[in-house]
Structures are given as C-alpha cells and as structure tokens.
Amino acid sequence: MGTMHRSGAPRRTNENAKLIITTIVGVVFGFFVGITLPLGSFRKISLPSGLMSSLDVAMSDGKLFSGGRSPEDIGSRKSPKIYVPTNPHGAELLPPGIIVAETDFYLRRLWGEPSEDLKKKPKYLVTFTVGFEQRNNINAAVKKFSEDFQILLFHYDGRTTEWDQFEWSKNAIHISAKKQTKWWYAKRFLHPDVVSAYEYIFIWDEDLGVEHFNADRYVELVKKHGLEISQPGLEPNNGLTWEMTKRRGDRDVHKETKEKPGWCSDPHLPPCAAFVEIMAPVFSREAWRCVWHMIQNDLVHGWGLDFALRRCVEPAHEKIGVVDSQWIIHQVIPSLGSQGESEEGKSPWQGVRERCRNEWTMFQNRVAEADKAYMEQHKVKE
C-alpha cells in the first residue's frame, strides 16, 4: 500500500492572502485618519523634555523663528560689510548696536521676559574670601549689608553648598578655587567690565568684626566726602599696623595723619595720607578700573599694593580716606596661613608670610622699573 502525502501549498496561499488584506486595510485606515485630523494635532505630541532640543520646542509651538521667518530667511540674508575700529578689541566686525561690552553678577530666571527678571538691581558689590570655619563671622557681616549690596563669596577651601544653611547664601554668588587669595580671585573674576554695574566694590577679608558698622551709612559718607578709595576705621587696640587706619572718635572721616618720625617724606604721601590697607578696601568703579590693571597675576597676596593705590586717583590725598564713624575690628585670624604647606622644616603659616614679604619687594621693584622704562621712553626728566 502506498503512503499518501498532504500538500502544504493551500495553507501557505491562505496565509499570504490574509497578510495582503491586512496590509491594505491598514494603509486605507491610516490614510483616512491622516486626512481627518488637523496638522496641529501631530505637532502637540508630548515627548520627554530630555529628548527635545531647542528646535523641537520651537516646532511644538508651530513656529521656528519669531516673525514667521524660516532658517533660510535668517541664514541667507547678506550682512553688510562692517569694520568699526572704535569697537572693543576683537569686535570690530560687529555693528556697535549689538555689542554688550560689560556684564554683571545679577542672577536671572530661566523663564519669562528678561526685562522682568530683576525686581531690584543691587547698586554695590561686596566680596569676602572665605573658609567655612569662619561662617558665623561672615553671617554676622553679611547682615550689615542691605538689599542694595550684591554678596559674592570666594571660597578658598572648596566648601560651598554648606553655606546654604544661611538664607542669604541662596541669593549670593559663590566662586570656588582651593587655596587662593582674594587678590588672585579679584584679578580673575572682578574685571572692571564685569563689575561696572556697581558703584562701589568692597573687597574684604573674612576676619572683620562689624558690630559698629552700617554699610548704607558708610556709602553715604564716602559719597559726601568724595572718597574714591576708602576703608572703615580700625579699632585701635586690635591688629593695628598704621596710624592712618586707626579710628578717630571725633569725626566721620579723616584723610591724613602723623606717623613715626622719618616715615613720611611728604605729608600728602603714604603712609601719612593717600593710604588704606588691603584688608578691607572699598573702591569706586572708576578707581577699581585702574587698580585692577595694577594687580599682578603672579603676586597673589597684594602686599605693597596699598602704597601704590594713590596712582589711581588724583589728587590722592583728597580722594583716599578712612571712615571713622563706621568702624570695624580686625580679629587677626590667620586662617589663610593654614592653607600653606610645610617646606624645609617651616610651618605652613611661616611659608605664607615669607612669600608675602617677598612679593612686597617684587612689587616695589616692578613699579620702579615700570616708572623708569616709561621715563626713558618718553624722555621724562625727574
């Protein structure tokens, strides 16, 4: 008896027919759905925000560029040939109307109209170079400054987020670089074009007692007496080095003093006049524009700078002074000295102090050499 075989051909034919019919039905259904729904419905499909580029966001609103212009309209428009030699260096090819040469530390929102970002613009800038160990002292100091003052903290210990335990810290600017001084920070982050929005710039240490200080009153006195460079008077019994910076109890401001015999060859020159120390100086924006250029990149402690500040204002003995009625206490906490390293058997603070003295000598030599080079070039006789 022979074996009978069943053929699979009819079954495969039926399956292929079903597949073809299903495809046709799907195409027809998709066509009718496509012509029924408006185009805008597809543009409103929601995607995860992390997957959407700025172009996707613009397309989801039904417009790519403002005014209904296309990329071709923007990109292919011919720009006029421009060269303006009076523009800031590097921006000569731009029309002056688009140039923004200065900036600020104003905090802005990520939404809304830019013109509505700021309820109030701070008039003055206050900087402290800080370590977290001095947080309570800085907290007390910051409370002496009103909303007219923008607070900027330079962190030499790398600890920034811990400061948010203070409410004011959330609106402050925080810049961190380990084991750096305030003059290192100032040279790199306080360029005159960055701080030009502020009438006065406070560049203060972290170890200042401010019980007898009021910032708003201080600014009033600085303006009244025409001081371009100033500092609060120092409590006579705490960390006092110079007679000029000693607080006087019988006046609001003083601009000159008497020093030890032989210290002042001219009563209008430092340290008898035209002089403030570098622990708590306050600069007008015009004076700071000059002082910033005098700060050396590699001389980070600022020693010797106090004797040279007079070069940035004229007449210096009238525009540099000490505000006596708003005074501070120098607590003399050598916190930055602990950031040094032991070398050749010396403790960290000894190495830091030695560099301070060396930088003072180096700065004096550079100033003298620069003066000499200028006079030789211009044939100026002393």
Side-chain angles (χ1 to χ4, degrees):
M1 182 181 291
T3 303
M4 297 183 63
H5 298 276
R6 294 184 180 179
S7 173
R11 177 177 293 180
R12 285 195 298 269
T13 300
N14 292 337
E15 290 177 354
N16 290 340
K18 290 180 181 179
L19 179 61
I20 292 173
I21 293 172
T22 301
T23 302
I24 292 173
V25 170
V27 170
V28 172
F29 177 77
F31 173 76
F32 281 106
V33 169
I35 64 175
T36 302
L37 295 178
L39 181 60
S41 300
F42 291 102
R43 291 181 178 172
K44 295 181 180 179
I45 295 175
S46 177
L47 295 176
S49 59
L51 298 178
M52 297 183 69
S53 67
S54 58
L55 180 60
D56 296 327
V57 173
M59 287 297 294
S60 70
D61 291 334
K63 57 184 179 181
L64 182 56
F65 292 93
S66 62
R69 290 177 292 179
S70 69
E72 184 178 3
D73 295 333
I74 301 296
S76 61
R77 181 171 62 86
K78 291 186 177 180
S79 300
K81 294 294 183 181
I82 294 174
Y83 186 84
V84 184
T86 56
N87 280 356
H89 179 66
E92 293 85 356
L93 301 181
L94 296 176
I98 197 61
I99 292 175
V100 180
E102 300 173 340
T103 186
D104 53 63
F105 286 113
Y106 300 151
L107 295 175
R108 294 187 174 273
R109 306 175 300 176
L110 304 184
W111 64 93
E113 291 294 328
S115 61
E116 300 174 357
D117 283 347
L118 305 174
K119 295 181 179 179
K120 185 175 183 179
K121 291 184 178 180
K123 299 177 182 178
Y124 320 110
L125 179 66
V126 183
T127 75
F128 293 98
T129 300
V130 302
F132 190 64
E133 294 301 318
Q134 299 302 320
R135 60 190 177 279
N136 292 328
N137 199 55
I138 293 298
N139 182 47
V142 168
K143 290 179 179 179
K144 294 291 184 174
F145 295 89
S146 68
E147 292 182 353
D148 284 330
F149 296 81
Q150 172 70 61
I151 303 300
L152 168 57
L153 300 187
F154 296 126
H155 300 270
Y156 62 74
D157 62 354
R159 300 174 67 179
T160 58
T161 56
E162 293 98 323
W163 287 83
D164 280 350
Q165 66 183 262
F166 304 114
E167 190 64 28
W168 56 261
S169 175
K170 298 173 184 178
N171 294 317
I173 306 297
H174 297 265
I175 297 176
S176 177
K178 290 186 177 181
K179 298 188 177 183
Q180 300 302 319
T181 71
K182 72 177 182 181
W183 299 109
W184 183 91
Y185 285 111
K187 187 65 175 179
R188 288 151 182 82
F189 299 102
L190 300 182
H191 186 280
D193 289 342
V194 173
V195 300
S196 64
Y198 308 100
E199 294 180 45
Y200 294 95
I201 299 98
F202 293 61
I203 304 181
W204 281 20
D205 288 355
E206 63 180 339
D207 59 343
L208 304 176
V210 293
E211 181 181 352
H212 307 282
F213 179 81
N214 179 282
D216 289 312
R217 178 59 179 156
Y218 183 92
V219 171
E220 289 176 9
L221 291 170
V222 163
K223 292 180 178 180
K224 177 181 177 180
H225 292 272
L227 299 180
E228 297 290 324
I229 301 175
S230 64
Q231 75 162 78
L234 290 175
E235 166 60 42
N237 299 322
N238 292 79
L240 185 66
T241 303
W242 306 100
E243 286 294 319
M244 178 63 186
T245 55
K246 180 190 295 186
R247 177 180 71 91
R248 298 182 183 180
D250 59 349
R251 64 195 67 190
D252 283 334
V253 168
H254 74 270
K255 300 180 182 181
E256 59 184 25
T257 192
K258 290 184 178 180
E259 266 290 357
K260 297 178 178 64
W263 277 29
C264 298
S265 59
D266 187 321
H268 288 166
L269 293 179
C272 287
F275 176 81
V276 297
E277 297 187 61
I278 59 173
M279 72 176 73
V282 180
F283 304 94
S284 70
R285 77 177 135 226
E286 293 79 13
W288 178 246
R289 185 167 289 277
C290 172
V291 172
W292 182 89
H293 285 88
M294 190 165 53
I295 299 172
Q296 308 291 288
N297 279 326
D298 58 332
L299 305 184
V300 297
H301 290 288
W303 280 38
L305 189 62
D306 40 13
F307 279 80
L309 294 176
R310 62 187 177 90
R311 292 170 172 264
C312 286
V313 293
E314 293 183 342
H317 66 279
E318 294 181 4
K319 295 188 176 182
I320 299 179
V322 175
V323 179
D324 298 288
S325 60
Q326 301 301 317
W327 48 284
I328 59 176
I329 298 173
H330 187 202
Q331 298 170 339
V332 197
I333 300 173
S335 52
L336 193 58
S338 64
Q339 299 293 308
E341 294 183 2
S342 299
E343 291 183 350
E344 300 177 355
K346 299 177 182 178
S347 62
W349 72 265
Q350 286 177 314
V352 171
R353 181 51 62 94
E354 183 177 318
R355 172 155 178 165
C356 288
R357 295 194 181 99
N358 290 340
E359 286 193 6
W360 192 353
T361 300
M362 294 171 69
F363 182 75
Q364 288 177 315
N365 291 340
R366 291 183 188 183
V367 171
E369 291 170 2
D371 284 341
K372 181 180 178 181
Y374 176 85
M375 289 186 289
E376 289 178 351
Q377 181 179 359
H378 294 82
K379 297 181 180 180
V380 176
K381 295 183 179 180
E382 292 183 274

